[in-house]
């Protein structure tokens, strides 16, 4: 048994910077464990978790399990969890109620929990005390050990908890079952060293570790050969890519080399304004296959709050960067993340956030009420703001964000834009859906034979969060 420890997770030292890259290998004796059995994986949270979910599914299939549509039909259930805010926790604990019920009716079902919540001491001790029906828990650093952990669970019939607080090495060649045939996530780095005071990620995902450029470029080339149209380079803080490597090879170099592979579309998330260099902006502007879409978390428009958040930029320097991006990258769409109600945020601080939104007129924004995370510095700050005030601020912010999102979309009316057709529209089964280069969701009137292609679409109607259009036949 190995349980997580937040203090351990906080420790970073030079000696640990040398990360070993190892290969995933599945032992012969574990390859047939799942024959005739099914699995169900439920994933919560960010793109990184989504991609981990794709790895987990492929590992289970390597062990001969087959995916099924619902938890009720599965022999193995796995919750891949998120810890970023309290409501993510609550959703998982709510779902665990259903798992417990099911296990009472079908005791042979095996249920496990992994992902960011597994890295939290408080969660694991709660599981050990109150959720004994859960068969196994593993963390974000040892996904590759799932076969061994699952096998031990089956053999010993006892609760297996295997979570490392200190990040492991980078494991290459973990298999992946991609959700899409047209667009793919590609990890370029793991972890985060920024330690923003509200954020649990540096503890749950560990120290920043960049993948070797050769491994990333091979993966992109391979995806291109298989016909993929789009890659999204993934990391908690992608702009810091390479800072932990020996070589002087940074995000701008990687972006340029990925662009040169000729894959039609490249995106990257998430950027931290601190590490966003002029060289990066130049590379994005230079290559047509790097999409004109930047997600640039603001978090707050008040320099005072930004300082308390440990964000390392001011309102002014953020605005300068955002304007530079908009000027140098033509037609660039800009989106953001904003937190309201950070401890000590005054009405004036909040209004500064609104000022930034008014000035930059974001294409869209994810907005959140501050959520106190155990073990982070912000959890110890005094938080006097009543919930009603936080909710009212969120509402005002959302009204403004929605207004600019609609205005940004209105500029697309009657324009012809490139859209990667990637699936059936959720709202209308006669239509397809896809995203523009600028990441706008479009429901498109087009023949299904064009699925997987980037086509020209004339926008015929716009709403706040999506647009309608029809494919232009050439
Ligand atoms: N409370 C509220 N929002 C948070 N985020 C991260 N941590 C917290 C927290 N403790 C938001 C940030 C981040 C996004 C992924 O989630 O805005 O950019
Ligand atoms: Fe969290 Fe800040 Fe790292 Fe983003 S940059 S993952 S907000 S600590």
């Amino acid at each position: 048994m190995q349980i997580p420890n937040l203090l351990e997770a906080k420790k970073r030292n030079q000696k640990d910077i040398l990360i070993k890259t190892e290969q995933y290998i599945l032992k012969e004796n574990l390859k047939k464990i799942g024959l005739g059995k099914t699995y169900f994986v439920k994933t919560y949270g960010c793109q990184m978790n989504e991609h981990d979910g794709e790895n987990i599914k492929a590992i289970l299939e390597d062990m001969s399990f087959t995916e099924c549509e619902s938890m009720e039909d599965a022999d193995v259930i796995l919750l891949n969890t998120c810890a970023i805010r309290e409501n993510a926790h609550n959703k998982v604990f709510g779902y665990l109620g259903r798992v417990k019920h099911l296990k009472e009716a079908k005791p042979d079902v095996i249920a496990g929990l992994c992902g960011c919540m597994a890295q939290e001491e408080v969660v694991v001790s709660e599981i050990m005390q109150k959720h004994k029906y859960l068969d196994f828990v593993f963390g974000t650093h040892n996904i590759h050990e799932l076969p061994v952990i699952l096998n031990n669970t089956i053999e010993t019939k006892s609760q297996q908890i295997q979570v490392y607080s200190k990040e492991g090495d980078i494991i290459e060649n973990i298999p992946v079952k991609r959700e899409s045939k047209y667009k793919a996530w590609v990890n370029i780095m793991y972890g985060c060293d920024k330690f923003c005071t509200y954020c649990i990620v540096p503890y749950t995902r560990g120290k920043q570790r960049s993948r070797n450029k050769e491994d990333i470029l091979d993966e992109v080339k391979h995806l291109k050969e298989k016909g993929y149209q789009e890659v999204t380079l993934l990391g908690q803080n992608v702009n810091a890519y390479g800072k932990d490597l020996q070589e002087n090879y940074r995000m701008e170099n990687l972006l340029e080399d990925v662009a040169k592979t000729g894959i039609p579309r490249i995106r990257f998330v998430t950027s931290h304004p601190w590490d966003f260099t002029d060289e990066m902006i130049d590379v994005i502007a230079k290559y047509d296959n790097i999409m004109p879409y930047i997600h640039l978390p603001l978090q707050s428009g008040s320099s005072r709050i930004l300082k308390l958040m440990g964000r390392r930029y001011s309102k002014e320097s953020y605005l300068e960067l955002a304007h530079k991006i908009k000027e140098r990258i033509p037609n660039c769409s800009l989106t953001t993340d904003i937190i309201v109600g950070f401890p000590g945020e005054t009405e004036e601080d909040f209004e500064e956030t609104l000022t930034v939104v008014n000035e930059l007129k974001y294409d869209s924004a994810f907005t959140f009420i501050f959520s106190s995370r155990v073990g982070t510095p912000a959890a110890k700050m005094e938080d006097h703001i009543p919930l009603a005030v936080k909710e009212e601020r969120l509402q005002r912010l959302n009204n403004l964000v929605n207004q600019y999102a609609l205005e940004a979309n209105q500029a697309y009316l009657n324009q012809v834009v490139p859209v990667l057709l990637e699936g059936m529209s959720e709202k209308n089964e006669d239509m397809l859906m896809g995203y523009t280069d600028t990441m706008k969701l479009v429901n498109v009137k087009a023949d299904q034979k064009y699925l997987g292609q980037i086509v020209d679409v004339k926008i015929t109607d716009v709403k706040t969060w999506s647009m309608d259009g029809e494919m232009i036949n050439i």
Side-chain angles (χ1 to χ4, degrees):
M1 179 156 326
Q2 175 91 33
I3 59 172
N5 177 322
L6 267 183
L7 275 175
E8 272 298 303
K10 239 183 236 178
K11 290 184 192 156
R12 308 276 212 259
N13 63 48
Q14 271 317 103
K15 191 164 106 295
D16 293 338
I17 302 278
L18 285 173
I19 297 292
K20 280 205 304 301
T21 297
E22 293 189 351
Q23 302 289 318
Y24 163 85
I25 300 165
L26 181 65
K27 290 212 181 97
E28 262 328 294
N29 65 326
L30 303 178
K31 285 187 178 161
K32 298 278 184 278
I33 289 179
L35 263 185
K37 295 198 172 128
T38 54
Y39 74 86
F40 180 74
V41 177
K42 183 153 181 70
T43 294
Y44 297 85
C46 66
Q47 294 100 330
M48 187 69 75
N49 253 25
E50 289 285 341
H51 189 41
D52 284 351
E54 294 183 330
N55 287 134
I56 289 165
K57 287 181 179 186
I59 293 176
L60 288 167
E61 297 196 3
D62 244 14
M63 300 172 76
S64 305
F65 287 95
T66 350
E67 185 167 14
C68 68
E69 295 283 309
S70 81
M71 174 177 92
E72 283 71 19
D73 297 330
D75 297 303
V76 173
I77 300 164
L78 193 43
L79 303 193
N80 180 22
T81 61
C82 166
I84 198 96
R85 283 170 294 275
E86 195 176 345
N87 58 1
H89 266 217
N90 295 345
K91 276 191 209 155
V92 170
F93 280 116
Y95 200 84
L96 278 180
R98 282 177 62 192
V99 175
K100 183 177 181 203
H101 222 70
L102 190 77
K103 288 236 5 165
E104 279 161 5
K106 292 163 79 179
D108 288 341
V109 166
I110 294 176
L113 183 143
C114 64
C116 288
M117 275 171 70
Q119 295 292 144
E120 293 181 283
E121 254 172 285
V122 274
V123 171
V124 172
S125 53
E126 187 170 338
I127 287 174
M128 287 162 71
Q129 283 159 27
K130 297 198 206 144
H131 302 274
K132 294 204 170 80
Y133 57 89
L134 270 179
D135 299 288
F136 66 102
V137 177
F138 63 93
T140 56
H141 305 312
N142 57 336
I143 289 176
H144 60 290
E145 290 181 342
L146 166 60
V148 172
I149 296 168
L150 191 51
N151 190 43
N152 288 348
T153 308
I154 295 167
E155 284 185 350
T156 63
K157 298 195 167 48
S158 66
Q159 193 178 54
Q160 300 287 313
I161 303 215
Q162 210 48 253
V163 185
Y164 307 132
S165 305
K166 283 246 180 127
E167 44 285 356
D169 297 326
I170 290 180
I171 313 291
E172 288 294 343
N173 282 336
I174 297 187
V176 52
K177 183 182 183 190
R178 299 197 186 268
E179 290 297 317
S180 165
K181 287 192 292 216
Y182 317 121
K183 56 181 205 178
W185 310 113
V186 174
N187 279 326
I188 63 168
M189 59 174 328
Y190 303 94
C192 178
D193 285 344
K194 284 287 180 284
F195 284 100
C196 301
T197 56
Y198 51 81
C199 187
I200 194 81
V201 169
Y203 311 92
T204 60
R205 292 274 169 181
K207 177 178 76 239
Q208 165 165 338
R209 290 102 70 208
S210 299
R211 271 179 87 193
N212 289 328
K213 68 173 188 217
E214 292 82 10
D215 293 323
I216 299 168
L217 293 171
D218 281 353
E219 185 171 346
V220 174
K221 284 178 197 156
H222 190 63
L223 288 163
K224 181 176 174 245
E225 279 160 20
K226 282 171 71 181
Y228 277 83
Q229 299 290 311
E230 180 174 310
V231 291
T232 301
L233 308 180
L234 273 187
Q236 304 297 346
N237 176 15
V238 286
N239 312 58
Y241 172 81
K243 282 186 149 185
D244 52 310
L245 295 174
Q246 305 288 322
E247 209 182 337
N248 188 16
Y249 184 88
R250 295 289 150 83
M251 186 57 175
E252 53 268 23
N253 309 109
L254 180 70
L255 264 183
E256 181 148 33
D257 283 343
V258 173
K260 284 180 183 162
T261 64
I263 188 117
R265 284 183 160 196
I266 300 155
R267 303 188 191 278
F268 53 93
V269 281
T270 280
S271 298
H272 188 298
W274 172 256
D275 293 306
F276 215 114
T277 61
D278 280 7
E279 289 79 6
M280 269 190 70
I281 301 177
D282 290 342
V283 171
I284 299 164
K286 180 170 162 196
Y287 288 92
D288 286 344
N289 56 347
I290 305 180
M291 296 297 97
Y293 159 70
I294 309 282
H295 184 68
L296 194 68
L298 167 70
Q299 313 302 4
S300 168
S302 152
S303 296
R304 191 181 74 83
I305 295 294
L306 286 168
K307 198 157 192 192
L308 290 173
M309 288 178 162
R311 289 290 287 178
R312 312 174 192 210
Y313 55 83
S314 63
K315 173 188 183 187
E316 289 70 29
S317 61
Y318 179 95
L319 281 171
E320 194 187 322
L321 172 65
H323 283 303
K324 210 172 354 178
I325 289 172
K326 282 182 166 235
E327 277 156 25
R328 292 220 228 140
I329 306 170
N331 186 36
C332 188
S333 76
L334 191 69
T335 60
T336 198
D337 292 343
I338 297 171
I339 298 174
V340 301
F342 186 82
E345 183 189 67
T346 62
E347 174 62 22
E348 289 71 36
D349 291 317
F350 173 64
E351 280 171 15
E352 293 210 57
T353 300
L354 298 183
T355 314
V356 175
V357 174
N358 276 319
E359 185 165 333
L360 293 176
K361 304 179 171 50
Y362 291 104
D363 286 79
S364 78
F366 295 106
T367 56
F368 313 100
I369 288 180
F370 167 74
S371 173
S372 178
R373 311 313 296 131
V374 175
T376 60
K380 297 191 196 90
M381 297 179 189
E382 272 194 66
D383 180 7
H384 289 311
I385 312 166
L387 182 62
V389 172
K390 293 178 183 170
E391 283 171 344
E392 187 254 352
R393 285 183 192 163
L394 185 70
Q395 195 54 51
R396 275 157 71 200
L397 175 63
N398 284 346
N399 290 344
L400 201 61
V401 163
N402 293 354
Q403 176 198 321
Y404 288 123
L406 180 62
E407 277 178 26
N409 282 357
Q410 277 162 344
Y412 282 69
L413 199 58
N414 296 320
Q415 303 282 324
V416 175
V417 288
V419 175
L420 168 57
L421 297 174
E422 59 181 67
M424 305 310 295
S425 160
E426 273 180 20
K427 69 155 217 189
N428 183 338
E429 53 186 41
D430 296 331
M431 287 173 112
L432 306 184
M433 57 73 67
Y435 289 88
T436 62
D437 51 351
T438 51
M439 201 65 180
K440 305 276 182 190
L441 172 63
V442 192
N443 293 298
V444 186
K445 229 186 258 171
D447 194 293
Q448 282 194 35
K449 70 178 182 199
Y450 293 105
L451 266 177
Q453 293 186 31
I454 298 167
V455 300
D456 283 335
V457 171
K458 181 164 182 194
I459 302 301
T460 52
D461 192 15
V462 297
K463 291 155 212 143
T464 306
W465 303 119
S466 70
M467 310 180 190
D468 290 340
E470 45 197 39
M471 186 179 151
I472 307 284
N473 284 308
I474 312 142

